Amino acid sequence: MTMAGHDQAGLRKVRIYGVLIALLGLMMFPFYAMFSSTLKSESEIFSSPATLVPTDPSIGAYVSVWTQTDVVLWIANSFLISIGTVVLTLLLAIPAAYSCARNEFVGKRVFLLGVLVVQMFAPVVLIVGLFDVITSFGLFNSYLAVIIPAAAFTLPFNVWMLYGYFKTIPVSLEEAARIDGASQLQILTKVVLPLTKPALVASITYTFLYAWNRLLFVLTFLTDASKYNIPRGVFSMVGALQTDWRMMLTVSVIGILPLLILFAFLEEYIVSGMTAGAVKE
């Protein structure tokens, strides 16, 4: 390659990295603004012009939230609701996706399309009907009142992604296990699911994130403050006459830390699972 060619290749890399850095900065700016505000005083948060860097940074809000709010309880409830949603979703999605991937039956395509259509409805559109169902079954003010609707709305995505991934696993592996005397349940749990690890991790992560960030279901179906999750806890800090915005932002930052840690550890599986799940029938 000539010197001019090297210069053009180098200039193109600079442009690409420049665009990527600009996009990353644009996406991360709201999180930076939220984090930097937790280090400012209440007056500096609303000062004009706004300051990008705290003039007198303080971690006082991070100390205060542990004693003045129920942030630990909210985090524990968020974990309980999210894990419950993940378990219920996978218990339903895995058999449904596997059956569709391995069997041909009348109405299979209609079923899969129907599952996809459910994904298109916003929860707020169905909340009144869901409220009637939840109260009719006596689930109001229980964790199940939040877990069941959250699982229902994450189920379509998980069925389709797992369905696509199951289709990529050779049937010959299952036939060999069947010849060795394995039952259908053993084939699914000991042969198929271990090979589906990237898709399962992606499903777990997506469902966990969805349930962790739900406010509408908790706001509608839970009135017991001891069962609030992080979003509902932050919402409860809005006062009628005065709101401590610095404390609210601090709880919000603490609330997203578990998600960042989860994503950092599972990023490789999430990407591979999402890509493999994109296989068409």
Side-chain angles (χ1 to χ4, degrees), residues 73-87:
L73 177 65
W74 298 337
I75 291 175
N77 287 334
S78 291
F79 270 108
L80 180 62
I81 292 171
S82 300
I83 292 173
T85 305
V86 168
V87 171

Side-chain angles (χ1 to χ4, degrees), residues 74 215 231-245 247-249:
W74 298 337
L215 170 62
R232 184 65 180 92
V234 172
F235 185 76
S236 69
M237 297 174 71
V238 178
L241 301 177
Q242 188 176 7
T243 299
D244 192 333
W245 292 100
M247 294 283 279
M248 284 183 60
L249 292 169

